[in-house]
Amino acid sequence: MTLVFTHRYLLICFLIRLTSSAVVPSQDSISLYTANDKVVILTGQNFSSIVYQSKTAWLVEFYASWCGHCQSYANTYREVAIDTWGWRTVVRVGAINCYADENGPICDQHNVAAYPTLRLIGPNSFINGSKLIHLTATDAKGVERELIKELDALQRTDRNWPNFAPIADVGLENIYSYAPPTVKLVLLIVEKQDDFTGRQIMLDFSKYHEQLVIFRASTDGKLWGQLQLNLTDIPAVFIIHSNGTTERMNTKQNMNENLGSRNLLNYAIRSYVHKSKCIDNFDDRDLEEIIHSKNALKKSEVKGTNEAQGAVIENQKLNMVDLETALSYMLRREVPRIKMIYGETYDALLHWLIVLTKYFPGRQPVMTYLKDLLSKVKQQPNGLSGKQFRELADINASNSYLPNNQIRYIYCTGSAPQYRGYPCALWLLFHTLTVSQVQTEFQNTHVTEVPSAIKGFIKYFFGCRHCSDNFMKETNELHQLDANDKNAAVVYLWKVHNHVNERLHGDETEDPQNPKIQFPSSNLCPKCRMDKTNFDSASTLDFLLKHYSKDNFDLSSVENPSESSNKKDQIPSRIDQYSMIEINHDFKQKSGLFSYLTSIVQRFSFYFLIFIVIIVLYVRRRHCKIIPFL
Ligand SMILES: Cc1cc2nc3c(=O)[nH]c(=O)nc-3n(C[C@H](O)[C@H](O)[C@H](O)COP(=O)(O)OP(=O)(O)OC[C@H]3O[C@@H](n4cnc5c(N)ncnc54)[C@H](O)[C@@H]3O)c2cc1C
């Protein structure tokens, strides 16, 4: 009877343990990509073994999951990975989230100063072998073209590497001799010198490089004269026979011309190979996968358009934890990404630190920490490296202290890990500083002192480059602030932020549980609205001054120096940090005795399980001892 009960209990405990541990987000859950994407998820742990010295090149996106532009860009990058799926014997597509602590060193190795950054790492490369791909192109096709240019520039001579260079002085009769002995089909694509189609097709079929060889010829080589083509005929594909004779492939069969030349040529080559059966093990599996993934991506794009779900739930009270976490991430991770801090960058940093020491409404150890940091930076008037700055920012003492948490947010916790967090807390910090300037008695301060320091910080140090560029445009009238109006900066930043909210409302960066609204909502400040769209200036200013005042910050959850020195590690692991967020959520959300008891059972079930196992073993041992005497 006891044993039956114990077994049942063991099973129940095991199930409870399983469900409760599944609540803690895994490291993968902060990635913008999933295993369903064609993008390989790279981490600090797998990067070296997968990427360095790989036989293929690697296109790597370095991003931060908090960065709004990275979130918007993720679908473009997914599309790049799908479009280049057939190229994977030459180049693979991966992404690494620089926000995750454990990935930081890899991002530093590749000098990632802004998110997202694309880098191409050549085959058999070591740590420093990465090349920057300029993201001038914002669409997948543009990125693919940039990628082809970079692959072309690598000038590899490996057998599986396509020979991108157009053949110039070779006649038709000699082309075949340039193919490997295993070749079964030789094709020649004739196109304009700067056209990408030929190179795309070479990569599309690169998997069959032993049997299918594709050459390129342009309009200025010897072959152009031999083939007697018109410009309107190209791009054209020729089958080259071993005796030097050629056969032009029909690339316009049964296909919609709007599909573009890459698809037309690809389809024609596939049809020919299927009919002629000249290539062993030729199949359309890659193509099917590409079509399937593209359809799935299209569906997710339709679903991904965020719809505001219900009314905004806003807290009256702000939390100091958010500001301290943002400060820690900014000073220990964002600023040190900049390799050399000197000249204008140094001035911007100094200005920013001065503003923080003057106006941050922090507790005593945090203010001392900021002042100490400022004085150490001042001692390096010629500038310092990001690494040196990080060393200075890392110093914590009991009386000069900034918690080392980098992802613990309370007010700014989103409904999913990629939402809110750092940029949300940055906005709170900025508004708080503008209000604090009004409420602090400093002589001879200029109304633009705080907003211009914010602008300098965003310009030189904010990792989301696209956000930074937008912000520069959106604040280009900053110098026009009325110097006689001491509240001008508070109102100005409120307007700029609402402008950003309007721009981002409904896009994929918006947390469905926290829609981007014109702030403050009528729930939060009923007096601020004259009607649905217009604000009452005086009441809104009044509200902002109260909302972002020092007194409106909850200090009850901040971490104290003594608490942190009791911990094994200064920087909690990501799982620990998420557990903390989970615990906060749990206590916020659950009420009543039943849910409280459930949470206790969940938390201690594992230890209870161990206890039960020990009891069972003990009982069984005693039982066994008794048997011989029976
Ligand atoms: C300088 C800057 C520029 C950015 N630019 C971009 C960009 O170009 N593209 C992009 O995708 N993301 C951008 N972001 C991120 C984006 O603005 C949000 O911060 C992010 O999407 C998180 O949104 P959120 O819902 O937490 O609210 P956030 O917009 O971050 O707001 C945080 C909190 O501030 C309060 N608040 C909201 N509006 C106002 C207001 N007008 N005045 C005072 N308080 C307010 C609310 O309590 C809100 O919860 C930028 C962030 C910053 C700091």
Side-chain angles (χ1 to χ4, degrees), residues 66-72 312-315 318 411-414 418-428 430-431 454 457-458 462 464-472 474 490-491 493-501 503-504 507-511 514-520 524 535 540 543-544 547-548:
W66 56 259
C67 153
H69 183 56
C70 302
Q71 290 165 23
S72 316
V312 190
I313 308 148
E314 283 165 310
N315 281 342
L318 301 173
Y411 181 90
C412 284
T413 299
Q418 75 271 26
Y419 295 132
R420 314 202 79 203
Y422 179 57
C424 166
L426 264 192
W427 277 121
L428 298 183
F430 295 164
H431 291 296
I454 292 172
F457 168 77
I458 293 289
F462 193 35
C464 178
R465 194 48 48 216
H466 177 79
C467 306
S468 165
D469 293 345
N470 283 334
F471 191 70
M472 290 308 111
E474 277 155 346
V490 176
V491 176
L493 198 67
W494 164 69
K495 284 190 180 160
V496 170
H497 192 172
N498 267 348
H499 190 258
V500 175
N501 293 343
R503 177 160 54 80
L504 299 178
D507 86 352
E508 54 276 83
T509 67
E510 182 173 65
D511 182 346
N514 297 279
K516 289 187 167 62
I517 51 146
Q518 290 304 289
F519 182 90
L524 197 58
F535 286 95
T540 306
F543 167 82
L544 292 171
H547 190 65
Y548 288 108

Side-chain angles (χ1 to χ4, degrees), residues 234-486:
I234 56 173
V237 187
F238 288 87
I239 301 150
I240 312 285
H241 298 292
S242 51
N243 60 4
T245 56
T246 60
E247 187 186 329
R248 183 158 178 193
M249 204 177 260
N250 177 8
T251 52
K252 296 192 176 151
Q253 31 179 319
N254 304 327
M255 288 283 280
N256 175 356
E257 283 198 32
N258 296 334
L259 283 176
S261 47
R262 177 184 175 190
N263 288 331
L264 290 174
L265 266 57
N266 193 307
Y267 182 81
I269 296 171
R270 278 179 191 282
S271 307
Y272 178 84
V273 172
H274 277 304
K275 260 192 221 148
S276 65
K277 297 196 171 51
C278 57
I279 307 278
D280 301 335
N281 303 323
F282 188 84
D283 63 52
D284 283 332
R285 267 181 298 179
D286 279 358
L287 189 67
E288 282 156 18
E289 255 189 78
I290 289 173
I291 293 170
H292 173 78
S293 304
K294 278 230 158 171
N295 288 340
L297 186 63
K298 266 191 204 140
K299 269 192 207 155
S300 77
E301 273 168 359
V302 175
K303 261 197 270 160
T305 319
N306 278 351
E307 280 299 323
Q309 291 178 1
V312 190
I313 308 148
E314 283 165 310
N315 281 342
Q316 281 286 354
K317 204 110 176 125
L318 301 173
N319 204 302
M320 187 51 78
V321 166
D322 296 77
L323 299 196
E324 291 186 356
T325 302
L327 273 183
S328 178
Y329 180 73
M330 161 200 302
L331 298 172
R332 292 169 176 145
R333 294 287 294 278
E334 281 266 87
V335 175
R337 276 182 305 102
I338 308 304
K339 248 193 154 180
M340 279 311 300
I341 304 169
Y342 67 98
E344 281 181 12
T345 316
Y346 177 83
D347 293 345
L349 178 62
L350 209 59
H351 188 179
W352 178 236
L353 288 174
I354 289 169
V355 160
L356 284 176
T357 51
K358 279 172 85 175
Y359 303 117
F360 183 67
R363 49 201 173 116
Q364 184 273 323
V366 174
M367 295 316 292
T368 313
Y369 168 92
L370 291 171
K371 282 178 192 150
D372 287 349
L373 187 59
L374 171 63
S375 80
K376 284 174 208 146
V377 171
K378 275 186 175 166
Q379 284 163 22
Q380 315 258 3
N382 297 325
L384 68 171
S385 68
K387 198 166 164 246
Q388 282 171 311
F389 182 80
R390 166 93 199 233
E391 279 160 13
L392 300 178
D394 270 343
I395 300 171
N396 259 346
S398 57
N399 63 341
S400 168
Y401 174 79
L402 177 66
N404 218 341
N405 280 312
Q406 282 160 25
I407 61 161
R408 187 181 172 219
Y409 293 100
I410 294 180
Y411 181 90
C412 284
T413 299
S415 64
Q418 75 271 26
Y419 295 132
R420 314 202 79 203
Y422 179 57
C424 166
L426 264 192
W427 277 121
L428 298 183
L429 173 65
F430 295 164
H431 291 296
T432 305
L433 292 173
T434 57
V435 166
S436 175
Q437 185 187 10
V438 174
Q439 294 170 347
T440 312
E441 299 297 316
F442 273 111
Q443 297 293 312
N444 302 326
T445 62
H446 193 273
V447 70
T448 59
E449 184 187 10
V450 171
S452 62
I454 292 172
K455 202 170 168 176
F457 168 77
I458 293 289
K459 180 171 177 185
Y460 294 103
F461 300 106
F462 193 35
C464 178
R465 194 48 48 216
H466 177 79
C467 306
S468 165
D469 293 345
N470 283 334
F471 191 70
M472 290 308 111
K473 283 181 217 145
E474 277 155 346
T475 52
N476 60 9
E477 284 155 13
L478 178 62
H479 59 279
Q480 291 172 7
L481 285 194
D482 179 359
N484 298 318
D485 177 1
K486 66 174 186 154

Side-chain angles (χ1 to χ4, degrees), residues 95-111:
I96 183 163
N97 182 5
C98 299
Y99 187 39
D101 287 342
E102 58 276 23
N103 301 342
I106 296 284
C107 302
D108 292 344
Q109 270 169 18
H110 292 272
N111 298 327

